[in-house]
């Protein structure tokens, strides 16, 4: 049964990653929200390279709301899609000031009203900043690894998320994202998965993996 398979996957990944955490550097919910928004289409390392200056210059939504858009673009330029990201960040900062007292909201519905915030970002913020598990963040690593492991046959993030939510206990949803991301970066690589060094090799159907 797929539920038993999922339980084995969870047990082994938990043993491999006993203290999982996001690779983005942050100290407040606002910083995590910003870093996660910046992480689209780039690496966590690149985001971590630009956020120290970003957070030093504009440490709160109130500060960023008043910044010059060109200045924001200049700081985040290397993360790619910098114009759209800068617009979304500033618009989000202004909404947080106007509607939420300068605080990051703690519900999925409210987070999804913020420009540039979809379920993946909202799930990451809720889980890591507030310990609230509304869903499972699905990025390229989660999508790839969950398919290869036979946890889902879906290709759309929302369908993948629903499949995973049905297989794993709610308290594990936040950690599951970390497990699959870390495993996707270290073992289940996109181009050349390290199947011979995989601790899940005996239970993995290797869906989509070239022979």
């Amino acid at each position: 049964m797929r539920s038993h398979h999922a339980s084995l996957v969870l047990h082994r990944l938990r043993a491999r990653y006993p203290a999982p955490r996001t690779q983005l550097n942050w100290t407040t919910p606002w910083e995590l929200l910003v870093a996660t928004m910046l992480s689209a289409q780039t690496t966590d390392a690149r985001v971590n390279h630009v956020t120290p200056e970003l957070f030093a210059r504009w440490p709160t939504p109130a500060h960023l709301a008043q910044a010059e858009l060109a200045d924001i673009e200049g700081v985040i330029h290397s993360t790619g899609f910098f114009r759209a990201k800068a617009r979304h960040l500033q618009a989000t900062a202004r909404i947080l000031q106007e509607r939420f007292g300068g605080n990051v909201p703690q519900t999925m519905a409210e987070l999804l009203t913020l420009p540039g915030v979809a379920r993946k970002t909202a799930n990451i913020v809720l889980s890591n900043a507030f310990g609230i598990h509304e869903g499972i963040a699905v990025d390229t690593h989660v999508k790839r690894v969950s398919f290869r492991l036979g946890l889902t046959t879906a290709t759309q993030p929302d369908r993948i998320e629903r499949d995973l939510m049905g297989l794993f206990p709610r308290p594990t949803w936040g950690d599951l994202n970390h497990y699959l991301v870390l495993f996707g970066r270290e073992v289940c690589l996109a181009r050349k998965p390290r199947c011979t060094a995989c601790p899940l090799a005996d239970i993995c159907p290797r869906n989509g993996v070239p022979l």
Side-chain angles (χ1 to χ4, degrees):
M1 293 180 60
R2 184 175 285 182
S3 59
H4 176 66
H5 177 66
S7 179
L8 291 176
V9 169
L10 179 64
H11 176 74
R12 295 190 190 183
L13 291 181
R14 179 183 283 152
R16 183 181 178 91
Y17 305 109
R21 59 179 295 275
T22 177
Q23 300 301 292
L24 295 169
N25 295 333
W26 62 283
T27 58
T28 67
W30 163 244
E31 290 184 356
L32 178 59
L33 175 61
V34 170
T36 306
M37 292 173 68
L38 288 175
S39 69
Q41 304 299 313
T42 192
T43 65
D44 290 352
R46 172 51 52 186
V47 173
N48 291 338
H49 180 74
V50 305
T51 48
E53 180 181 355
L54 182 68
F55 297 151
R57 294 181 64 172
W58 306 293
T60 68
H63 291 92
L64 196 68
Q66 299 301 318
E68 291 292 333
L69 193 60
D71 291 339
I72 302 173
E73 291 175 352
V75 172
I76 69 171
H77 185 277
S78 64
T79 66
F81 303 96
F82 63 95
R83 289 190 176 89
K85 289 180 179 179
R87 288 196 306 271
H88 288 156
L89 286 174
Q90 187 164 67
T92 288
R94 289 172 175 170
I95 290 172
L96 294 184
Q97 281 298 106
E98 295 167 2
R99 301 181 191 172
F100 300 106
N103 298 311
V104 176
Q106 298 185 35
T107 70
M108 176 65 72
E110 290 172 326
L111 282 168
L112 292 180
T113 67
L114 303 176
V117 175
R119 282 193 63 90
K120 183 187 80 170
T121 296
N123 276 321
I124 289 172
V125 171
L126 289 173
S127 174
N128 291 276
F130 302 116
I132 298 171
H133 306 299
E134 287 295 323
I136 299 169
V138 176
D139 66 359
T140 56
H141 297 294
V142 174
K143 179 179 179 180
R144 179 179 71 255
V145 176
S146 60
F147 174 71
R148 286 178 175 175
L149 286 171
L151 299 172
T152 182
T153 58
T155 57
Q156 296 301 313
D158 59 336
R159 293 289 303 276
I160 295 169
E161 182 182 6
R162 286 200 295 270
D163 286 346
L164 296 178
M165 289 167 63
L167 289 173
F168 296 93
R170 180 184 286 264
T172 69
W173 289 354
D175 285 345
L176 181 68
N177 168 261
H178 297 317
Y179 295 150
L180 296 177
V181 168
L182 291 169
F183 197 68
R185 288 173 174 169
E186 296 177 3
V187 180
C188 200
L189 309 179
R191 294 186 179 180
K192 293 184 179 180
R194 301 173 57 218
C195 295
T196 58
C198 178
L200 302 175
D202 62 312
I203 61 172
C204 179
R206 303 188 184 187
N207 292 340
V209 177
L211 298 176

